[in-house]
Amino acid sequence: MKYSNTNDLLLKEALAALTLHLASRPQDETCGWTLNFHNPLVNVFVTGGSRPGRVAGRVFTEDVRDFGKNIFIAQTAPRERRPARAWWTLPEMMSSRRSRLLHPK
């Protein structure tokens, strides 16, 4: 898929962060993260597992739910246990970083 430079960079950074996160987690765990940006409306989704050590991701720009703020949603699924899901409002730092990517000086 072909993404804008900004969305491509956000996807690559999310994949790198997930890879580092998985390296510190138990070997039988999979994770999925969604970064939902409010303005402009974009979802960055990444998922992966420590075994066999793969990550994948995608950017969504259509049919994205608008929460009215930037949201981070994480789901973790240890083998043979119920998945855990949590979400947080993204700090203003993430909003300003994305804004700088969208509107460089």
Side-chain angles (χ1 to χ4, degrees):
M1 301 196 85
K2 183 77 172 157
Y3 301 120
S4 71
N5 288 342
T6 301
N7 289 340
D8 186 61
L9 181 59
L10 287 170
L11 177 60
K12 288 175 182 174
E13 287 182 343
L15 286 167
L18 181 66
T19 301
L20 290 171
H21 173 74
L22 288 169
S24 70
R25 303 296 301 163
Q27 289 293 310
D28 63 349
E29 194 170 83
T30 59
C31 295
W33 293 351
T34 300
L35 292 86
N36 176 276
F37 293 99
H38 171 64
N39 186 21
L41 203 50
V42 172
N43 267 359
V44 178
F45 174 75
V46 292
T47 186
S50 50
R51 254 190 213 157
R54 295 187 184 130
V55 293
R58 183 165 176 195
V59 175
F60 295 91
T61 57
E62 297 176 7
D63 300 321
V64 175
R65 182 174 174 186
D66 187 355
F67 290 96
K69 55 189 166 192
N70 298 327
I71 301 289
F72 176 82
I73 303 165
Q75 182 166 323
T76 302
R79 179 174 291 168
E80 299 179 18
R81 293 197 349 224
R82 294 180 61 123
R85 181 179 298 163
W87 67 273
W88 301 268
T89 301
L90 287 173
E92 192 58 37
M93 179 180 69
M94 283 293 292
S95 300
S96 62
R97 166 117 173 94
R98 185 157 197 283
S99 178
R100 284 194 309 274
L101 290 171
L102 289 171
H103 310 290
K105 292 182 181 179

